[in-house]
Amino acid sequence: MSHKKFSWMTLSFVLVLVLALTACGGGVAETEDVEPADVTEATEAPEATEAPLAEGDQVEVFSWWTGGGEAAGLEAMIEVFAVEYPDIEFVNAAVAGGAGTNARAVLATRLQAGDPPDSWQGHAGQELIGTYVAANQLEPLNFLYEQEGWLEVMPETLIPLISQDGNIYSVPVNIHRANVLWYNPAILEANGIAVPTTLDEWFAAMDVLQGTDVIPLALGEQWTVMHLYETVMLASLGPDAYNGLWDGTTAWDSAEVLAALEDFERILAYTNADSSSLTWQDAAQLVVNGDAAFNVMGDWAEGYFRELGMEPNVDYGWAAVPGTGGTFQFLSDSFVLPVSAPHRDASIAWLTTAGSRAGQEAFNPVKGSICARTDCDPALFGVYLQSAMDDWASNIVVGSLTHGVVANDSWKVEIDNALGVFLAERNIEGFQAALTAACSSSGPCP
Amino acid sequence: MSRLKNKDTITSIALVAPSILAVGIFVYGFIAWSMRVSFSAWKGLLPDYTWVGLKNYIELFSDPRFWIDIRNTITFTSVFVIGSILLGLFLAVLLDQNLPGENFFRSLFLFPMAISFIVTGVVWRWLMNPATGTRISGFNQLFDAIGLDFLINTWHTTPRWGIAAIALAAIWQMSGFTMALYLGGLRSVPDELREAARVDGATELQIYRHIVLPMLNPVTLSALIILGHISLKVFDLIIAIAGKQLPLDVPAIYMWQATFDGYFFGRGAAIAILLLLAVSLLIIPYIIYNIRNEADL
């Protein structure tokens, strides 16, 4: 009898636990995307997006800058804004988590409900244009560019990449470079390798390393593979044909694209087998720790190396990804003007600060990126960023795929699917066919 | 009298109505809405309810990624459900031996269940680090240190079977729960039956084989259903261990990525409906079975 009683107690205990567990499920979703970097200073930025006081002019700016150098940079820019426009209250509507995934979902909900913030952050280029311009949510900013003289201080080749049909839709505040090859100078020296400048030199260098216990090329999880993929496409095709991929003038089923994909497949053979278990930080760290010779990552890796206490040109060196010298593959965070901004004048004031030299000089040294403007003071920046500033002012500018410049989100997800299937099955014809289909279904191809 | 009874009925309906209404709108209403979206061409930020029939479903079944998802789900479910049931049963039989410290071990085995899948995922991501050589860590380092080198492996980064390694983490988390279910079942086997068998000369093994295990069948069925539907919906554990990477993709991750990263609302809704169908195939027969059983009582 007592056994029977116990069994019912156990069962009801289990049931209660099940209920508690399901209840936890809802809470989990909130925290799962919060990366360690976001947690550090997340407490400083107000998370809520409540409408504040009714009186006075205000500007509500929506972003996913809630931690680290990003949040600190935003604070610095807000200070500049407060000096220039003391009458406008700045409302920081930042949403933490998931490198912006959470924020974009919240923004989508607010836009569908007809409650847009006064301005929001987005990756410059098609990520903004394909999503928000296509849904008629953004106002062109040509008037502001002309009024503030920004066309003279930003690279000429940048403007088409952030425009659609001649209309410019966002104000870039920072610039990162995607096509950077990081290397370990000591390993290259020990193996008698010069820094490669062409794909063939790079292959030859990695052939030398293949026999040693050094990993030739450090690679991380799937998005870093896409990052490598876009830089190899650029190296193999050159800037004109690469740009043509995104406006439909380079055919995805052409022989030159196949050749580029073969280069990419060949490069994958030099990478570490455990790539899918590494974050970009883990992969970059292999280079400075002496476990790997090369790594391809955007120049935020430089900020990470500094955090680790590494010396530029001693513990790590850099060059354009072989075959992409003279080309600056960029990505950028930018701010926009919504069609139905509740406080349009205040929003334009914010964008004016965001595009101004003072605003960008406040933001970028803290964030670890360079100004979108070419007239910022180089003395504010470190040795790597100074070299990036020189290249930004002189190189041909092309856009990054992984970071939202050249393809809209739907197209990018289709390409990511094709890439993932390729990584699993290594069928290069199937990969090219899937890329061709992706351009037809979500890109400009017929 | 009858007036009073009517009043009672009205009161009770009034009391239940809010929850019925809420469930109707927030569960069944949204299921219906998702179904409508899954038949639409909605792609992009703004809703587009253009009717496209089964197009989203047909496209899914010709999408190589979705087939990888199905394959992964089958592998994960098999390893996870079978592993949890076997381990749970084993632990329950151990605890049923009336040994000292039973309470302590019962709680110990149950505790993993109180942890969220995210925490489990983060910890197992460290444990299952596939690196070797100087960067070795986690299980591989342990195996290396105690001389079991042949056990060192690539865990979740193994091509094709990596998802089974993730099922190991899920087994760790849910086998305690299965143990509790079985322990309840074992304790409900009357001592008289065991004793009668002993009197007839049955060995302990025979008692388990012919008396106890058959009486645990209903528990096994419950465990199968509960674990099975958790397994079909698995999302957070994989995100915490591997992020959004295709070799370890499952339908729930594809649904999220299609909808919120790529704005393919139609496709995302189609995956949601297919997941719902898969779970219903498991749950509905079970509910019918339970209702019939209760009617018998």
Side-chain angles (χ1 to χ4, degrees):
Chain A
M1 273 331 292
S2 69
H3 271 355
K4 185 130 198 172
K5 204 170 187 180
F6 171 75
S7 81
W8 281 114
M9 279 176 64
T10 313
L11 270 180
S12 38
F13 171 63
V14 164
L15 272 179
V16 168
L17 264 183
V18 169
L19 286 177
L21 212 68
T22 13
C24 284
V28 164
E30 302 291 315
T31 47
E32 66 196 6
D33 287 319
V34 181
E35 293 159 6
D38 294 334
V39 177
T40 45
E41 288 183 44
T43 42
E44 289 189 12
E47 306 246 327
T49 57
E50 292 304 311
L53 310 167
E55 296 215 320
D57 214 356
Q58 63 171 38
V59 58
E60 185 192 10
V61 177
F62 190 93
S63 74
W64 56 86
W65 287 336
T66 55
E70 303 179 326
L74 180 61
E75 288 299 323
M77 198 154 64
I78 293 170
E79 272 171 40
V80 174
F81 178 73
V83 171
E84 286 174 0
Y85 300 95
D87 302 334
I88 305 176
E89 185 199 359
F90 186 93
V91 181
N92 185 351
V95 175
T101 313
N102 293 355
R104 282 204 296 271
V106 172
L107 182 61
T109 312
R110 286 187 61 173
L111 291 177
Q112 282 165 13
D115 171 35
D118 293 308
S119 183
W120 66 80
Q121 171 205 2
H123 284 143
Q126 289 298 324
E127 187 173 309
L128 277 176
I129 292 167
T131 304
Y132 304 113
V133 175
N136 301 318
Q137 298 282 340
L138 296 185
E139 223 180 282
L141 291 166
N142 300 40
F143 73 95
L144 197 61
Y145 273 71
E146 278 157 25
Q147 180 190 318
E148 300 291 322
W150 290 341
L151 291 167
E152 281 75 52
V153 295
M154 291 192 195
E156 209 180 328
T157 40
L158 165 70
I159 302 301
L161 296 170
I162 57 174
S163 311
Q164 181 91 329
D165 303 327
N167 293 319
I168 309 172
Y169 282 103
S170 67
V171 179
V173 292
N174 65 348
I175 299 295
H176 278 293
R177 186 174 194 172
N179 60 327
V180 189
L181 178 74
W182 305 97
Y183 60 86
N184 183 312
I187 293 180
L188 294 203
E189 202 179 324
N191 291 282
I193 297 169
V195 178
T197 55
T198 65
L199 279 177
D200 286 331
E201 284 176 28
W202 197 18
F203 288 136
M206 292 197 290
D207 281 334
V208 171
L209 295 161
Q210 195 75 298
T212 69
D213 55 3
V214 169
I215 300 162
L217 177 62
L219 189 63
E221 56 193 312
Q222 191 170 322
W223 76 260
T224 72
V225 184
M226 191 196 242
H227 188 109
L228 176 66
Y229 162 81
E230 70 180 41
T231 60
V232 175
M233 293 299 278
L234 174 62
S236 190
L237 293 168
D240 291 337
Y242 174 83
N243 278 337
L245 288 175
W246 313 112
D247 62 21
T249 53
T250 304
W252 283 85
D253 55 2
S254 63
E256 56 179 339
V257 170
L258 183 63
L261 296 179
E262 281 163 356
D263 283 336
F264 171 63
E265 189 183 29
R266 194 169 160 196
I267 280 177
L268 288 179
Y270 297 104
T271 58
N272 43 311
D274 63 345
S275 63
S276 65
S277 72
L278 303 183
T279 63
W280 71 264
Q281 289 100 327
D282 297 332
Q285 206 175 348
L286 292 178
V287 171
V288 289
N289 286 354
D291 291 316
F294 298 109
N295 175 231
V296 172
M297 188 33 63
D299 58 10
W300 47 91
E302 213 261 342
Y304 180 62
F305 294 149
R306 281 173 177 276
E307 250 174 63
L308 295 174
M310 300 293 167
E311 282 285 319
N313 287 321
V314 179
D315 297 305
Y316 61 92
W318 60 87
V321 168
T324 68
T327 309
F328 194 112
Q329 194 172 26
F330 93 106
L331 56 123
S332 165
D333 287 303
S334 61
F335 285 97
V336 299
L337 180 61
V339 167
S340 44
H343 311 89
R344 188 171 179 274
D345 291 341
S347 179
I348 291 171
W350 164 249
L351 294 174
T352 308
T353 299
S356 71
R357 192 174 146 184
Q360 301 208 345
E361 283 183 346
F363 179 84
N364 287 296
V366 184
K367 152 94 163 123
S369 48
I370 62 169
C371 302
R373 303 171 66 103
T374 51
D375 60 351
C376 281
D377 180 7
L380 295 167
F381 298 88
V383 48
Y384 165 74
L385 290 175
Q386 286 181 3
S387 81
M389 287 173 76
D390 288 344
D391 289 344
W392 176 244
S394 61
N395 282 359
I396 300 169
V397 173
V398 300
S400 157
L401 159 68
T402 315
H403 308 282
V405 182
V406 289
N408 62 57
D409 283 332
S410 301
W411 194 5
K412 192 177 115 187
V413 163
E414 298 280 57
I415 293 174
D416 192 38
N417 285 356
L419 177 65
V421 173
F422 171 68
L423 291 176
E425 296 174 355
R426 295 296 166 109
N427 173 349
I428 203 160
E429 284 79 22
F431 187 23
Q432 191 174 20
L435 289 171
T436 310
C439 184
S440 303
S441 68
S442 297
C445 302
Chain B
M1 277 305 273
S2 77
R3 251 192 81 198
L4 198 70
K5 203 174 174 188
N6 272 343
K7 215 174 172 187
D8 275 0
T9 319
I10 289 169
T11 318
S12 49
I13 289 175
L15 282 173
V16 181
S19 52
I20 290 181
L21 203 69
V23 169
I25 293 173
F26 293 107
V27 177
Y28 296 98
F30 282 179
I31 289 176
W33 186 62
S34 294
M35 209 171 274
R36 176 67 189 88
V37 172
S38 78
F39 294 121
S40 77
W42 185 355
K43 172 181 158 188
L45 193 65
L46 297 183
D48 170 7
Y49 291 104
T50 316
W51 181 269
V52 294
L54 288 172
K55 184 164 168 282
N56 288 317
Y57 293 90
I58 293 166
E59 278 177 1
L60 267 182
F61 282 106
S62 59
D63 182 344
R65 175 171 177 172
F66 195 63
W67 284 105
I68 292 179
D69 293 355
I70 292 175
R71 194 177 73 188
N72 278 343
T73 303
I74 292 173
T75 313
F76 182 87
T77 305
S78 318
V79 176
F80 168 58
V81 172
I82 296 173
S84 300
I85 285 183
L86 289 182
L87 189 61
L89 181 61
F90 175 69
L91 293 175
V93 171
L94 279 187
L95 281 184
D96 195 37
Q97 306 305 314
N98 290 323
L99 297 174
E102 188 204 308
N103 278 332
F104 172 74
F105 284 107
R106 196 174 57 217
S107 315
L108 195 74
F109 295 149
L110 255 180
F111 272 147
M113 204 191 127
I115 298 172
S116 92
F117 265 133
I118 291 294
V119 178
T120 309
V122 171
V123 172
W124 279 72
R125 184 189 171 120
W126 295 331
L127 291 176
M128 299 197 295
N129 190 331
T132 50
T134 51
R135 293 184 291 122
I136 197 165
S137 73
F139 285 139
N140 284 355
Q141 191 179 16
L142 180 74
F143 294 149
D144 185 51
I146 60 177
L148 297 173
D149 291 34
F150 65 94
L151 281 176
I152 292 179
N153 69 72
T154 49
W155 301 107
H156 59 282
T157 59
T158 314
R160 174 74 180 83
W161 294 101
I163 193 88
I166 299 204
L168 291 183
I171 292 173
W172 175 82
Q173 172 140 19
M174 295 308 290
S175 56
F177 165 75
T178 325
M179 175 215 69
L181 286 180
Y182 275 120
L183 195 60
L186 285 171
R187 293 284 151 91
S188 67
V189 176
D191 282 346
E192 293 81 358
L193 276 180
R194 296 176 191 235
E195 272 157 25
R198 277 189 202 110
V199 169
D200 288 343
T203 63
E204 283 304 307
L205 215 64
Q206 280 173 324
I207 293 175
Y208 272 103
R209 169 70 188 83
H210 296 290
I211 295 175
V212 178
L213 285 186
M215 291 196 73
L216 290 179
N217 278 346
V219 179
T220 307
L221 184 68
S222 306
L224 213 68
I225 303 298
I226 294 171
L227 296 173
H229 93 274
I230 290 177
S231 164
L232 289 175
K233 297 188 295 187
V234 65
F235 172 84
D236 35 8
L237 183 66
I238 296 179
I239 287 287
I241 294 182
K244 293 179 274 186
Q245 303 194 80
L246 201 123
L248 298 174
D249 202 42
V250 289
I253 294 178
Y254 191 15
M255 170 176 79
W256 181 52
Q257 213 177 354
T259 313
F260 295 112
D261 291 357
Y263 300 104
F264 293 101
F265 283 87
R267 189 189 302 174
I271 301 173
I273 295 299
L274 288 174
L275 266 181
L276 180 73
L277 281 179
V279 173
S280 318
L281 283 181
L282 207 61
I283 298 277
I284 290 176
Y286 177 66
I287 293 176
I288 292 173
Y289 167 86
N290 263 1
I291 290 175
R292 284 211 184 127
N293 269 11
E294 269 165 31
D296 286 348
L297 286 178

